[in-house]
Amino acid sequence: MSAEHEVIDLDERDHRLADSEGAVPGRRVSGRTMTVRLVAAFVIGAVLGGVGVSELRVSRDERARNASVALVALPHDSVSGGSGTEALGVIQLDGQLAVVNAGPAPITVGAAVGQRPGIQVRDTGQSRLLRPGGTGWIEVEVRVECSSSIAFESEPLSIRFSVETADGQVREVSHPIAVKGSAWEREAEMPCAYLSHSGRRGG
């Protein structure tokens, strides 16, 4: 074997050891930097995720609020008319429904219809925009059969409303109104009494 291969260069070995030892601190710094970056990325992701969830919740709550409907209705004291058809024993009153928007968003109240034996209520085709907490008056025609004994019974009359919500959706909402003892009943008494008297006299 040649003697050249048995000679070990100590300077070359020292340089290799120095390079190897010098690389360790560099790797440690890189590892620490990577850890910091991972933690920062996690924190930023958590913050952005929280913001996204919060915005989604706010958007969902707003949609639910805009779609919700809560209203209260009752016969208004303003009544006129009292015209009747003697042959049919029916009178027609021009009345109003007071409608209160008890919901959290604006609504537009359109059609209002209610019916049972002896009485029929129908709107005149006008709509009302109601702000939250606001009250509007819906013009209605009230037809009463004077011969009916249950037109103004104690049971409430259910009125079906067509309502457009703030998100543009149209929904039907029903609300009972008390007609017993209302201005509608009081206004119908005299014309019905007249028709009844005329009918008996004619017979």
Side-chain angles (χ1 to χ4, degrees), residues 1 47 54 64 71 75 77 89 97 114 123 135 167 173 183-184 192:
M1 178 178 292
V47 171
S54 177
L71 56 80
D77 288 339
L97 276 172
D123 69 280
T135 301
D167 59 357
V173 180
W184 297 353
C192 278

Side-chain angles (χ1 to χ4, degrees), residues 51-202:
V51 171
V53 170
S54 177
E55 290 180 352
L56 181 63
R57 184 181 298 111
V58 169
S59 177
R60 185 176 64 246
D61 292 344
E62 183 177 359
R63 286 197 302 270
R65 183 170 62 252
N66 289 337
S68 65
V69 176
L71 56 80
V72 178
L74 65 156
H76 195 257
D77 288 339
S78 176
V79 185
S80 62
S83 60
T85 304
E86 184 175 337
L88 299 177
V90 175
I91 65 167
Q92 179 172 307
L93 306 173
D94 296 325
Q96 289 183 325
L97 276 172
V99 182
V100 181
N101 179 8
I107 57 174
T108 300
V109 180
V113 179
Q115 184 175 0
R116 73 171 177 219
I119 186 170
Q120 178 181 348
V121 178
R122 184 177 297 275
D123 69 280
T124 60
Q126 298 178 341
S127 60
R128 290 287 184 271
L129 173 64
L130 301 180
R131 300 295 179 185
T135 301
W137 287 266
I138 306 295
E139 303 288 337
V140 294
E141 295 175 349
V142 183
R143 290 174 58 87
V144 180
E145 296 178 13
C146 295
S147 61
S148 174
S149 61
I150 62 173
F152 293 104
E153 66 179 359
S154 59
E155 288 297 322
L157 172 65
S158 179
I159 302 292
R160 187 173 68 255
F161 295 93
S162 175
V163 178
E164 182 178 348
T165 54
D167 59 357
Q169 301 296 316
V170 177
R171 300 174 55 190
E172 285 195 348
V173 180
S174 295
H175 190 276
I177 63 170
V179 293
K180 181 67 175 177
S182 68
W184 297 353
E185 183 182 24
R186 295 193 301 270
E187 193 69 23
E189 286 177 351
M190 186 174 295
C192 278
Y194 173 78
L195 290 181
S196 177
H197 178 71
S198 297
R200 288 198 302 269
R201 185 178 56 187

